């Protein structure tokens, strides 16, 4: 096991960080659904900004794990129920709004308003960022990944920790770029009716994630049930 003061190879550290960031970003979640929907219904910029927000969220938890901020991990663990409740409620509201959203018509004056456009762009990135950071499983995943790769001592060196967090961000961002690019390529296949159904389906999926988060708060022995089903 590496100990504080150990000299990390910068190239190997960057590769490991990028791989960890990419793999943790891969599992399909509400941020991925948002990224795909916005890439198709709004365009590439909206999709990429959504991906950047999610990658920044991953980088935050990557920094927590890299710098060994155990008090943050403890804070998340102790308040997991509150985080799930807030995140689940937010996802339910977002999912319901998305399901009821109708594609904007061509020539919509609001869509051409510069102030509205800037606030919307900020919303794209911030919504996916908060979806990511309000998921208590993310910080646990980074902690397990860093421990498994013997990166626990990287926080002793600010340059090494900074390199690792940057690599995590780049790895996660690479996944979101792939998702956005693939989604934008499919954009021409969606008509007005197709966009309407995409909003309904993606909204339902986001709503389902929110409901699942809230249901997990019920006093039910989920782990025992999972073991009985071999999960």
């Amino acid at each position: 096991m590496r100990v504080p003061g150990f000299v990390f190879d910068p190239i190997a550290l960057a590769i490991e960080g990028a791989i960890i960031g990419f793999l943790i970003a891969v599992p399909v979640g509400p941020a991925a659904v948002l990224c795909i929907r916005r890439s198709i219904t709004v365009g590439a910029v909206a999709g990429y900004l959504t991906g950047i927000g999610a990658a920044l969220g991953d980088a935050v938890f990557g920094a927590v794990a890299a710098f060994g901020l155990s008090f943050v991990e403890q804070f998340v663990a102790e308040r997991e129920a509150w985080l799930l409740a807030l995140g689940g409620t937010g996802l339910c509201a977002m999912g319901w709004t998305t399901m009821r959203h109708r594609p904007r018509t061509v020539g919509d004056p609001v869509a051409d308003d510069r102030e509205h456009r800037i606030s919307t762009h900020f919303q794209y990135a911030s919504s996916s960022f908060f979806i990511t950071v309000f998921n208590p499983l993310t910080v646990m995943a980074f902690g397990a990944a860093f421990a498994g790769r013997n990166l626990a001592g990287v926080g002793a060196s600010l340059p090494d920790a900074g390199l690792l967090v940057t690599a995590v961000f780049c790895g996660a961002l690479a996944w979101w770029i792939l998702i956005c690019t693939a989604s934008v390529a499919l954009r021409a296949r969606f008509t007005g009716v197709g966009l309407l159904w995409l909003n309904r389906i993606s909204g339902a999926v986001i709503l389902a994630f929110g409901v699942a988060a809230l249901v997990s708060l019920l006093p039910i022995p989920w782990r025992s049930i999972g073991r009985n089903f071999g999960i």
Side-chain angles (χ1 to χ4, degrees):
M1 178 178 178
R2 294 168 181 161
V3 296
F6 183 90
V7 178
F8 291 86
D9 177 35
I11 296 178
L13 192 63
I15 293 174
E16 285 190 89
I19 292 174
I20 290 173
F22 185 90
L23 293 179
I24 290 182
V26 165
V28 177
V33 177
L34 274 180
C35 188
I36 294 171
R37 173 189 168 268
R38 288 171 177 172
S39 297
I40 294 175
T41 61
V42 183
V45 173
Y48 290 131
L49 286 173
T50 303
I52 290 173
L56 286 173
D58 287 332
V60 167
F61 281 137
V64 171
F67 287 100
L69 301 179
S70 58
F71 67 91
V72 176
E73 296 182 12
Q74 183 179 357
F75 176 87
V76 171
E78 291 177 350
R79 293 162 177 80
E80 182 178 0
W82 284 100
L83 292 175
L84 284 173
L86 289 173
T89 302
L91 288 176
C92 287
M94 185 179 297
W96 179 252
T97 303
T98 301
M99 289 175 64
R100 296 173 57 84
H101 178 76
R102 290 183 175 274
R104 292 179 301 192
T105 58
V106 177
D108 181 359
V110 177
D112 296 328
D113 182 75
R114 183 172 181 271
E115 182 179 354
H116 173 80
R117 191 163 61 247
I118 292 174
S119 63
T120 302
H121 288 173
F122 174 77
Q123 179 188 359
Y124 292 148
S126 61
S127 58
S128 57
F129 173 82
F130 284 112
I131 284 176
T132 303
V133 298
F134 271 96
N135 183 1
L137 297 179
T138 307
V139 66
M140 306 303 177
F142 273 109
F146 281 21
R149 295 302 303 164
N150 293 327
L151 297 173
V154 71
S157 169
L158 183 60
D160 286 344
L163 175 61
L164 181 61
V165 174
T166 302
V168 166
F169 171 78
C170 292
L173 186 61
W175 168 251
W176 295 113
I177 289 175
L178 289 176
I179 288 291
C180 292
T181 303
S183 300
V184 170
L186 298 173
R187 191 182 184 199
R189 298 178 179 271
F190 284 81
T191 62
V193 176
L195 291 175
L196 185 61
W197 276 104
L198 177 64
N199 285 334
R200 290 174 178 174
I201 294 172
S202 58
V205 173
I206 295 172
L207 180 62
F209 277 110
V211 171
L214 295 177
V215 169
S216 68
L217 297 175
L218 296 176
I220 299 175
W222 296 111
R223 294 183 180 178
S224 299
I225 294 175
R227 285 194 294 269
N228 291 335
F229 285 94
I231 301 176

